[in-house]
Every structure is written in C-alpha cells, then in structure tokens.
Amino acid sequence: MIKIRNLIIKAEGSNNTPLLDISDLNIEKGRIVFLIGESGSGKSLTLSALAAWKKQGLDYKGELNIALSGYGIDKNYPLLELPESALLKFRKQHLGYIMQQPYAAMNPTMKLGKQILEKRIENDQATSRKKQGEEEVKQLLENLQLDDVDRMMQSYPYELSGGQVQRMAIAMALQNQPELILADEPTSALDASTRKKVLELLIESCRARNITLIISSHELDSVREFADELICLKDGKIVYRGSADDSAITHDYTFSFFKAFDQYSQAPEKNQRSDRSSIDEEKKIKIKDLDYSYKSKAVLKDRSENTVFKNLNIAFRKNCRVGVLGESGSGKTTLARLICGLVSPDNGSLSFGDKAFKKGIREKDYPKIQMVFQDPYSSFNPIRSIYAQLKEVAENQYKKPERLAELMNEFGLIESMTNRKPHQLSGGQLQRFAIIRVLISEPDGLIMDEFVTGLDIHWKIRIIEEVKKYLLTRPLNIWVISHEEQLLRHLCDELFLLKNGQFELIS
C-alpha cells in the first residue's frame, strides 16, 4: 500500500545531514505500525510526509507512493509529484490525521460538532443523512469515553480539556472511514484507563475496516500490546524494523527504550513529607470556598454553565511539591489557571500567606507564578524565532543572557535550534525550550501541566532529573499536574486526586 524509496527531507539550501532519510520502506494495507524514537528523530516528519504536507523551508526528494482503492477505484498517489488540488482530494477522501497537539487540529471559531461532521457531509453529498450521521458520531464519542456528548458537540475547542479535544480529533479521523490513518501521539493527553480504552477502539476500528494505521508513540506499554510492526527512528533514519516483542528486539538502541520504560515504571519510595498536620498556618497557601464555572458564549440562547469547582477548600504548605492527578476533563488545567491568576474564581479566594486574592493577576502583588503548558506550540509566538522569545526574557527583564546558554546545554539543545520558529521543532524540543524560558524568569511558584507528555522515555527521565536538580531544590511552590501517577510519584511529596471538583489525598 505504501512504498517509499530514497526519501530525503532536509532544510532548503542546506548541505547538512537530512532531517529524514528513508531509503526503502513498504507497508501493507491493514497493518498497525508504531513509530518510536527520541524527540526530533523524525517521527512527526514521517507522518506529515505521508499526508503530503510539505513543511515550509524544507526540501523533499525521492519517491513516496500510496496505493488506495477507495470508492471502488484503484489508484496510485505519487505524493511528491501531484499538484495541490489532487493532494487535497486525496486527504479528503482517503486520509484521517490525528495531530499531537489537538487544539492545533481544530478551528477555534467553529463548534466541534460542526467540524467533525463537515468532512462527512462533504464526502457524502447526501444531506438527508445528516441526522443519521450526527447520531453515529455521538455514539462514537460515547465509545471514546466522553460524557455529556451533546454539550461537547456544541462547544468550541477552548471550552474543553486537552484530553477531550484529543478524543474529538480521533472521532474526526475515524468517522469518515478512511483507508489510511496517521496518528501522532493520539492519546498523550489521556489518563491510563481512558488511554487504553480509546486506543483499543481506534485499533479495533482499523482492523475491522482494514484501515492502515501508522502511529507515533512514547507509550511503550501500548506499543508492546498493539503493534503488528515496530519501526524505530534515530537521527532521521530507520534503525530497526520488526516485532515489538522484547525477545525479538536485538537492536541495542531500540531495546534501550523498553528497558528505560520498565525502570521508570517502578514506583519510587513514598516521600515522608506527606504529613499534612505539619502545615504552618502562617505560611500555607489556601484555596478557600472557591467556585468556578465555564459559561457558554451564546448570544441568542440562554447562557449555560458547566460547573468545575463548587466550594473547593484545600491548603498547601509553603514550598510545596504537590502532584494533582485526575482524568481528562476533571478540572486539572482549570485549577492551574486559577492558581496562576489567569482566570478569576466566581466566588472564594486564593491566599498566599496572609494575603488573599480574588481577581488573579489583575490584583496588585499577585505572586509571580509561571506555567509550563501541556501544548508548547500554543505557548510560543508562531511567527517569531525561539531565540527572540527567549532573549526577551533572559536579557530585557532579568539581565541573565548567559543563563540561556547554560540551560540549553543542560537540556540537550543546540544553539542553531534557536534560529528556528516553533513549528520547525519537535514537540519534545519545544517543550524543553518552554521549561528553560520559565527557569530564566525565576518565578515565585511554578505549575507544570502535563509537561513531559511529548517526550520520549529517555528525555522524560532526563527532564525529571533536571527538574529535581534545578527546581525541587529551590524555595518554590510547585504543582505538577498529570494524568500519569508514576510521574507524580517521582517528583512530588503530596499526591491528590481531583475528582468531582474536590481533592482526595492519595496515600
């Protein structure tokens, strides 16, 4: 079905090593193929090439053919040779694409239900089936473990959590029954239980319809369980192709991912600092009687509310190391925005020591609490270079430009990368730059929201060690938000489950 010969992708006008160099690759129809490799190894670039999305500033050479038989017609698509009009038709009729950053896949000004149904109606050309199509999509969303489907269909992307939008994106890819689905970290924003169910549904749907699925992933337990075939990339080249069974992997570099994953998965010893009776009343951080609801932006209809927190009360010690666990949509990111002061509570207050605040950063003396966001692409200006954005923080405000070079070296980033714009970096590389930007600013507190979601297991372990070394040793209030309990146990001395708008202490 897919045939690649001598595909080389490199920066335009550059004689440097190619970003992607695949000499020979065939993938048969109906296969479930997983791509693994370090951040920046070429996984996302491979998927975008298979979707015939040529990135600006890159030069593409070689042969990339996809043979399809949709709509009763056998056809071969030489993707690097076709005009854009033919490629657009190919994507509409045959391709489903699930992006790593779900918000980037959605039109922020269009309701999600309309976006999901748009492609189906356009391909079907049968408006009489609109109602049936809506019901089928709703059932698919329920199968993807989403509640209150009617509300979500009427919501804009920014009104839902990252995990909820990610599942909407999966539904968009599945509902038109394409012949090829390309998925870039499709379940990275989901908790373990939901992730497994969603991934099972995605793969079962592909097997039942003989859909080819090529999926990049850092979730090696899923790779072991579901892969028909494993491809490992290193520096833009395929270094291993074969079974995902541990006993079959003889390639040392490939096997190192699974070995590191198993070591990371071992639970660290419980931190003894979790005794809450020792919290100093004068120094603690308090959330008191806090209410918060999302309100619809409807003009001609009654404004509906989605209550996230009601009468929330919790206290944290000064220089806390708090882990917040919860399912997708439980309110973790909303909590982060409230603590940062990016949004204000409907009722109640946040107190830092003896000062209470009700209007977030709009109030004088609100603490400087920085945030490392789940989606690094949305936290950088897309039209400015990385260097310009980091220099602005390092030089203009904090007068420490030399610290930038030190941190880049510590986080495995090279100087030439700063000349790029955000879209020219992998998600893992950009997330490391986001952490560096926060460190330069020397904040009073820090919130890390799913901050290692886009990293491979090697860099996840290394970044955790860097956080322990450079952050946990500082007098900072730190909250780590994740759907991954193992990460929280590596970094935090108090773990809470956020459920039904309330905190439950995890032993």
Side-chain angles (χ1 to χ4, degrees), residues 293-340:
S293 299
Y294 283 112
K295 300 173 180 64
S296 74
K297 301 298 187 294
V299 176
L300 300 178
K301 298 179 180 180
D302 293 336
R303 289 167 60 89
S304 60
E305 293 189 359
N306 176 34
T307 300
V308 183
F309 299 115
K310 184 70 176 177
N311 197 33
L312 179 64
N313 288 275
I314 188 71
F316 308 110
R317 62 172 53 84
K318 185 179 179 181
N319 300 332
C320 59
R321 306 287 183 263
V322 173
V324 181
L325 183 72
E327 294 182 352
S328 170
S330 61
K332 303 188 300 297
T333 298
T334 301
L335 174 71
R337 290 171 176 166
L338 284 162
I339 294 175
C340 281

Side-chain angles (χ1 to χ4, degrees), residues 6-51:
N6 302 316
L7 176 63
I8 294 178
I9 303 176
K10 61 169 56 178
E12 289 180 348
S14 171
N15 293 320
N16 294 335
T17 302
L19 300 173
L20 191 67
D21 184 355
I22 300 178
S23 59
D24 187 6
L25 177 64
N26 292 327
I27 297 175
E28 297 299 321
K29 184 174 176 59
R31 300 282 283 174
I32 309 297
V33 179
F34 277 78
L35 305 179
I36 68 169
E38 292 184 348
S39 302
S41 63
K43 301 186 300 298
S44 296
L45 193 56
T46 300
L47 294 176
S48 64
L50 289 169

Side-chain angles (χ1 to χ4, degrees), residues 441-503:
S441 72
E442 298 184 348
D444 301 317
L446 176 63
I447 297 177
M448 294 181 283
D449 185 9
E450 305 284 6
F451 74 108
V452 291
T453 294
L455 300 179
D456 65 89
I457 189 61
H458 293 307
W459 270 112
K460 180 182 283 191
I461 292 171
R462 182 165 176 179
I463 294 298
I464 287 172
E465 293 305 314
E466 295 291 341
V467 167
K468 289 179 179 179
K469 181 178 179 181
Y470 293 104
L471 288 180
L472 300 189
T473 56
R474 300 184 181 200
L476 282 172
N477 304 306
I478 296 177
W479 293 266
V480 184
I481 293 173
S482 181
H483 56 259
E484 185 183 335
E485 183 174 344
Q486 201 61 33
L487 170 67
L488 302 182
R489 293 199 178 277
H490 279 284
L491 293 175
C492 305
D493 49 47
E494 282 190 302
L495 267 65
F496 292 91
L497 174 66
L498 191 55
K499 186 176 182 181
N500 299 325
Q502 297 295 323
F503 279 107

Side-chain angles (χ1 to χ4, degrees), residues 174-227:
L174 276 174
Q175 58 89 29
N176 203 47
Q177 299 184 14
E179 292 189 69
L180 172 64
I181 292 180
L182 305 172
D184 194 359
E185 300 284 349
T187 56
S188 58
L190 304 179
D191 60 275
S193 175
T194 304
R195 183 190 77 193
K196 182 175 174 61
K197 292 175 183 176
V198 167
L199 198 55
E200 284 176 346
L201 176 66
L202 174 61
I203 289 174
E204 287 172 4
S205 297
C206 288
R207 292 199 192 282
R209 298 175 175 85
N210 202 30
I211 297 171
T212 305
L213 173 64
I214 303 177
I215 175 172
S216 73
S217 181
H218 297 311
E219 297 156 1
L220 299 182
D221 52 344
S222 298
V223 175
R224 279 171 166 154
E225 183 173 357
F226 297 113

